[in-house]
Amino acid sequence: MGQTSDEWLKLEEVAFSRGRKPVFQNLSLTCSERRIGLLGDNGAGKSTFLRLLNGLLSPQQGRLQVVGLNPASDVSEAMRAVGFVFQNPDHQIVFPTVLEEMSFGFRTRGLTRAESSARALEWLDRYGCAHWAELSVDELSDGQRQKLCIMSVLALEPSVIALDEPFSSLDLSTRLELADLLARAPQHLIIASHDLDLLQTMERLIWLDQGRIIADGAPGDVVRLYVESCRRHARRRGMV
Amino acid sequence: MIRGYISGSSWIHRIPAGVKLAALALITWALFWTERAVTTGPALCMALALYLSVGRSAWGRLRSLAFLLPVFAFIALLQVIFSGPEASFVSVSRLMTAYLLADLVTATTPMMSMIDAFLWALRPLKFLGVQTQSIALAFALVLRFVPFLMSDWERRREAWRARGGRGAGWVLVPAWIADVVRLSDRIAEALDARGAHNDSRSKHAKP
C-alpha cells in the first residue's frame, strides 16, 4: 500500500466487528494533517478507531498503515510508534510514585533502573514537574494525574499520540493547560473527544456515526453540522 | 500491608528493600514461634517505635489503622474465652506487630526497589522458564490497585447509604465485582499500550 511522505495514516476498506455487531465496514481514509480530531456520539466507533492504530485491536478486513507500519502485523513496533492516553488516568497509572510511573515506560524499553529514573527526572524537569518526582500519585489531583499520563507518553517520543477523551472529567483551567502541553508536542495527534473547544483547535475533524464518516473537513464546518444534527435529534425527542 | 508508599528520607527509607523484606520475613517467622507475652509485648512496642520514627506522615497513617481495632478486639475476645488472657495477648500482639512491620515496609520502600528485590529473590525460577518479570509486575499491580478498589468500595457504599441503604451493603458486591473485572480489562489494555508485554500480540482485546 503506497503512502506518500505526508500521509501518516491510511485506511483502505477496513472492517471491524465486536461479536456480530459491525463497528466499521469498508472504512477508507487518508490523513496527512498533524492534528486530527474524532467527533461522534458514544458508541460511534471513536475509541475502537484509536485502538486499531496501535494494534490493541486488529481489523478483520482491509488494510491499515500508520507511519509506515501495519499495526495488525507489527504490533510491538506500532505500540512504540503510537503512544496512547486513556480517558481515566487511574486505569493507566501502575506505580505509586510519580518517578516510578514515569520510569516504567523506559524500563519496558530495556533501560536499567538508574537510566530510567534519570530519563524520567529529565522529562519531569522539562515540564516543570521535577518537584513531583517523589510524590505519591494519590497526592495528585485528577488533572495532575492526567498530565502525568500525557508526560509519560511524551517522554517515550512516539511518532503519533492517540488520546481517547483525555479531558472528560477535568476542569477548564486544567483542560487549557493540557491542551497547551499537547499543542507544543511535535508528534502527530489524534484525539477522540466530546470537547468541541478542543476539537476546534485541530487541523481536521472527522465526525463518526455508527462506524461511518458523516463529515470530514475543517473543524468549524464539522462542528456546526454536528451541533445542528444533535439539535434536530433533541427536538425530535422533545427535549428542546 | 496493602497501602501506599510515603515519600520521605527517614533512616528506614534508606535501608535497601531486600534487607527490609528479609528482616520482615525473619521477624514474622520468629513471632509465630513464640508463645510468651514477655516476647510479643516488647516486639509490639518496638514495631510501634519504628513506625513512629518515620515521622509525622507515619503518625497519620497509624491513626488510620483504627479501623482494624474491632477485628483485633474480636480475636482477643475469642482467645480469652477459649485459651485465656495471656494467649489472647500473645495472639493479638503478634498479629499487630506483623501488620505494623509489613505496613512499615510498604510505606518506606519504593515499588521499583521492591520489584528489584523480588526479581533478585525469584532468580532461581528463571532457570525453570518462569517469567519472573510478570510475577513482579503482578505484585506491583496488587499493591497499586487494592487500595484503589477499597476506596472504590467505600465510595459505592457511601452513595448507597446516601440513598437510604442500610447495613453492610452486601447487595453491592455483585456490581462491585463486575466493576473490578471491567477495571482489570482496562488496566491490561493500558499495560499493553505501554509495551509491558514483550510478545507481539495484545493479550486481551482481540475482537
Side-chain angles (χ1 to χ4, degrees):
Chain A
M1 182 164 55
Q3 198 169 20
T4 68
S5 57
D6 290 341
E7 286 172 3
W8 61 273
L9 174 63
K10 192 163 186 174
L11 287 85
E12 273 183 13
E13 299 185 345
V14 164
F16 179 83
S17 303
R18 285 188 186 276
R20 287 183 181 176
K21 191 184 167 198
V23 182
F24 298 117
Q25 284 178 313
N26 300 322
L27 186 69
S28 295
L29 186 68
T30 305
C31 297
S32 54
E33 296 81 0
R34 283 184 58 243
R35 300 289 187 258
I36 293 173
L38 293 178
L39 176 65
D41 295 343
N42 293 331
K46 305 186 297 293
S47 298
T48 304
F49 186 96
L50 295 182
R51 281 161 175 75
L52 290 171
L53 302 188
N54 73 340
L56 279 171
L57 297 173
S58 298
Q60 285 122 357
Q61 280 175 40
R63 289 192 293 179
L64 169 64
Q65 209 169 60
V66 186
V67 288
L69 297 166
N70 176 0
S73 55
D74 314 320
V75 181
S76 298
E77 290 82 359
M79 283 185 180
R80 278 169 180 257
V82 183
F84 207 104
V85 177
F86 292 83
Q87 181 177 359
N88 188 341
D90 286 328
H91 298 162
Q92 192 164 340
I93 294 172
V94 177
F95 286 90
T97 66
V98 172
L99 185 64
E100 288 173 306
E101 179 61 21
M102 281 289 287
S103 305
F104 177 59
F106 297 116
R107 294 293 296 263
T108 64
R109 304 272 163 108
L111 269 65
T112 65
R113 190 174 154 209
E115 289 165 347
S116 303
S117 296
R119 292 282 294 276
L121 266 176
E122 192 183 301
W123 277 89
L124 281 170
D125 190 39
R126 190 176 296 191
Y127 291 108
C129 299
H131 59 290
W132 288 8
E134 292 302 321
L135 290 182
S136 158
V137 291
D138 296 327
E139 292 173 66
L140 303 180
S141 67
D142 287 351
Q144 288 170 329
R145 282 206 290 275
Q146 190 62 296
K147 184 174 180 180
L148 172 61
C149 290
I150 293 173
M151 287 190 300
S152 300
V153 170
L154 285 169
L156 297 176
E157 301 179 271
S159 305
V160 179
I161 301 179
L163 302 103
D164 191 5
E165 301 189 27
F167 307 156
S168 61
S169 60
L170 306 181
D171 58 48
L172 180 61
S173 61
T174 311
R175 266 189 271 174
L176 293 174
E177 183 196 342
L178 296 185
D180 181 55
L181 183 72
L182 290 171
R184 285 184 280 125
Q187 283 86 358
H188 296 290
L189 296 186
I190 181 156
I191 302 180
S193 180
H194 294 290
D195 182 341
L196 299 181
D197 290 332
L198 173 69
L199 293 173
Q200 299 261 24
T201 65
M202 300 289 116
E203 290 169 32
R204 176 177 171 185
L205 188 55
I206 298 166
W207 170 15
L208 289 173
D209 187 45
Q210 294 179 10
R212 288 178 303 123
I213 295 174
I214 304 296
D216 179 0
D221 298 337
V222 177
V223 165
R224 187 172 44 75
L225 288 171
Y226 177 70
V227 171
E228 279 170 12
S229 163
C230 289
R231 285 207 176 112
R232 271 199 305 277
H233 277 285
R235 251 183 244 121
R236 237 177 276 149
R237 290 188 213 136
M239 290 164 70
V240 173
Chain B
M1 162 163 195
I2 297 172
R3 297 193 303 158
Y5 170 72
I6 301 174
S7 54
S9 55
S10 71
W11 68 277
I12 301 182
H13 279 88
R14 292 194 295 272
I15 299 174
V19 174
K20 278 190 270 194
L21 287 168
L24 174 66
L26 197 69
I27 294 170
T28 311
W29 178 79
L31 273 174
F32 281 83
W33 278 100
T34 182
E35 299 291 340
R36 299 180 57 183
V38 289
T39 314
T40 58
L44 177 58
C45 294
M46 184 201 70
L48 271 170
L50 286 174
Y51 209 104
L52 294 175
S53 74
V54 173
R56 278 181 178 278
S57 48
W59 305 350
R61 191 175 169 110
L62 199 56
R63 275 198 298 274
S64 72
L65 292 180
F67 78 96
L68 282 171
L69 290 178
V71 178
F72 289 132
F74 180 69
I75 295 169
L77 183 69
L78 286 181
Q79 289 284 338
V80 166
I81 293 168
F82 294 108
S83 311
E86 188 181 355
S88 168
F89 177 79
V90 168
S91 290
V92 172
S93 55
R94 188 194 272 159
L95 279 176
M96 288 175 90
T97 306
Y99 185 91
L100 282 175
L101 291 176
D103 195 51
L104 186 63
V105 171
T106 316
T108 58
T109 313
M111 180 83 76
M112 286 288 187
S113 308
M114 201 116 62
I115 286 178
D116 285 346
F118 266 95
L119 283 173
W120 184 83
L122 293 172
R123 273 185 315 172
L125 293 178
K126 265 190 165 179
F127 298 110
L128 300 172
V130 176
Q131 291 208 346
T132 52
Q133 288 279 4
S134 299
I135 297 174
L137 184 61
F139 171 76
L141 290 173
V142 168
L143 282 185
R144 162 83 182 110
F145 285 102
V146 167
F148 179 81
L149 291 172
M150 282 165 71
S151 66
D152 184 58
W153 168 258
E154 277 308 311
R155 272 198 298 272
R156 192 177 283 267
R157 216 160 66 104
E158 205 172 50
W160 186 64
R161 281 183 176 164
R163 297 174 71 189
R166 288 181 186 175
W170 296 113
V171 291
L172 303 172
V173 170
W176 182 72
I177 290 173
D179 262 6
V180 171
V181 173
R182 268 196 294 272
L183 175 71
S184 65
D185 200 40
R186 286 176 192 146
I187 294 161
E189 187 180 50
L191 285 170
D192 273 347
R194 297 177 74 185
H197 292 127
N198 289 326
D199 57 357
S200 61
R201 171 49 55 196
S202 170
K203 285 185 169 57
H204 67 284
K206 285 181 219 173

